[in-house]
Amino acid sequence: MNLKKMKDDIYIVIQSYNMGLGCVKKIINTYDDVINNSDDIDWLDFRNSSYPGDPDYVEHVLRYLPSDSIKK
């Protein structure tokens, strides 16, 4: 998956690797319909066990990276 294709959003890329891009798009679309603001990462709150993969995968991966290396 290409980071540029995902608007340089590392959170989408990491979660897509785990759940698949289709599931992540569904989550983001649900979030946009409810909140109507896709520029923040609050869509991560909409992950749950009804989607495949680990809903906390992003957090598991990011704990191995220095916090100053991640753009929000």
Side-chain angles (χ1 to χ4, degrees), residues 12-56:
I12 293 174
V13 172
I14 293 171
Q15 196 64 53
S16 295
Y17 179 80
N18 177 52
M19 293 181 152
L21 183 56
C23 287
V24 172
K25 283 183 177 181
K26 282 183 188 177
I27 294 167
I28 291 171
N29 288 338
T30 300
Y31 170 75
D32 284 345
D33 289 344
V34 173
I35 305 296
N36 199 19
N37 182 0
S38 62
D39 292 334
D40 57 41
I41 61 170
D42 288 341
W43 65 269
L44 293 169
D45 293 340
F46 284 80
R47 300 170 294 173
N48 59 43
S49 61
S50 66
Y51 295 99
D54 179 359
D56 298 321

